[in-house]
Amino acid sequence: MASPQVVAHRGASAERAEHTLGAYQVALDQGADALECDVRVTRDGHLVCVHDRRVDRTSSGRGVVSELTLPAMSRFDFAHWHHELPESADELVFEPRASAAVGAAQRRILTFDDLLGLVRAQRRRIRLFAETKHPVRYAGLVEAKLTAALARHGVSAPAHKDESPVVMMSFSSAAVRRFRADAPGVPTVLLFDRASRAVRAGELPRWADLAGPSIRLLRRDPELAGRWAARGRDTYCWTVDDPADVELCRRAGVRFVATNRPGATRLRLSGGCPGTSVAVAAR
């Protein structure tokens, strides 16, 4: 059985401020197979990578994303709150740039266009899992903006879903359905922390390609991934940091594991353990 692919949850977010260029660069340096981000729409119509409804927790500013403009958010520091120096031996092993000062560009608000541009610039194949957040002020606009961004980058209509550099995700089934109608060739994930009897039996809406359970659900029922696989659906599991959970995902046949610690998770899946070096895939 193939090992799961490692998805850097908001970048290497245990080691760098989430959703910053620095967090994603560290994740790439650590050999992550894919990156994950949350996307929201600003007041002036830009897609930005922010998890919370407000920017208070993750920036030096205050306010609701949907009420702020991109220029306003560009004045905020999105890394000041996070300790940027190595806190463990793992970070020294996994981060060739750990001791470098975090530059101004790595502290600014990250737009979806810039993150997708980073992904597309890599010499090795990297996928970007983009989660649209709901409920939000602008409802379906976030999916429309995401579709438009993919079209600008020439990736809205891949020849095959397995070749798509972007995967769309949401906890909202309606959002996934909206996106599927606009970009039918781009794979989708329906995320959930609770599951109906039908979903636990292996059923998913036809507009969702992958099941996206929490690790909590998989702990309760390790056979979930197998039942979805029997119906031709892969599993994306979030958020997997504990070594026992990483091993559970491997045994269960999960295809993608979202983790805040992509370097350590990748090493465990390769048969190593934190504290030993690992070769990073060529960039």
Side-chain angles (χ1 to χ4, degrees):
M1 181 182 296
S3 289
Q5 293 187 34
V6 174
V7 183
H9 183 248
R10 308 179 201 171
S13 54
E15 300 155 27
R16 288 291 183 272
E18 67 185 58
H19 286 130
T20 59
L21 187 61
Y24 288 110
Q25 187 60 66
V26 168
L28 292 170
D29 289 345
Q30 292 178 351
D33 300 296
L35 308 177
E36 183 269 356
C37 69
D38 303 293
V39 290
R40 292 181 177 272
V41 180
T42 65
R43 193 180 80 191
D44 50 348
H46 293 275
L47 279 183
V48 291
C49 300
V50 180
H51 176 271
D52 301 354
R53 175 176 172 268
R54 300 182 62 90
V55 300
D56 304 35
R57 177 179 65 87
T58 57
S59 84
S60 59
R62 296 180 62 82
V64 177
V65 174
S66 61
E67 297 175 357
L68 294 166
T69 64
L70 182 60
M73 280 190 284
S74 295
R75 294 193 292 270
F76 302 156
D77 184 336
F78 279 80
H80 80 290
W81 60 276
H82 196 282
H83 195 285
E84 297 294 345
L85 295 177
E87 296 180 342
S88 69
D90 288 359
E91 292 188 42
L92 292 173
V93 169
F94 296 129
E95 295 188 40
R97 305 183 185 192
S99 61
V102 178
Q106 294 179 325
R107 292 180 173 274
R108 286 199 297 267
I109 181 71
L110 183 63
T111 66
F112 179 77
D113 277 319
D114 285 346
L115 181 55
L116 183 53
L118 176 67
V119 168
R120 300 284 288 158
Q122 302 306 302
R123 288 187 293 179
R124 62 185 176 96
R125 184 171 184 256
I126 299 291
R127 299 187 97 175
L128 178 57
F129 287 74
E131 178 187 341
T132 62
K133 305 303 291 184
H134 289 277
V136 290
R137 175 190 304 267
Y138 300 126
L141 181 62
V142 64
E143 284 80 41
K145 289 286 186 179
L146 179 59
T147 303
L150 300 188
R152 284 197 304 275
H153 287 263
V155 294
S156 61
H160 191 278
K161 287 185 178 181
D162 283 344
E163 298 174 6
S164 176
V166 177
V167 180
M168 179 270 183
M169 308 190 296
S170 184
F171 282 91
S172 166
S173 183
V176 177
R177 187 174 188 173
R178 278 195 298 267
F179 181 84
R180 168 56 52 82
D182 291 337
V186 177
T188 57
V189 182
L190 180 60
L191 300 167
F192 41 83
D193 192 26
R194 294 188 295 270
S196 67
R197 181 177 299 177
V199 169
R200 292 197 304 272
E203 297 180 18
L204 288 176
R206 65 182 182 278
W207 48 86
D209 295 303
L210 286 82
S214 67
I215 187 61
R216 185 181 66 88
L217 272 181
L218 197 65
R219 289 191 204 114
R220 289 182 176 180
D221 187 354
E223 304 303 318
L224 276 173
R227 291 196 288 275
W228 290 317
R231 294 176 179 246
R233 309 294 182 91
D234 285 320
T235 301
Y236 169 102
C237 189
W238 56 275
T239 303
V240 185
D241 291 335
D242 186 90
D245 289 336
V246 174
E247 184 56 34
L248 170 61
C249 288
R250 186 211 301 269
R251 292 196 310 269
V254 169
R255 184 175 178 188
F256 300 101
V257 292
T259 176
N260 297 313
R261 300 184 179 276
T265 300
R266 182 173 178 267
L267 186 57
R268 290 182 182 108
L269 289 170
S270 68
C273 61
T276 60
S277 61
V278 58
V280 176
R283 293 181 57 219

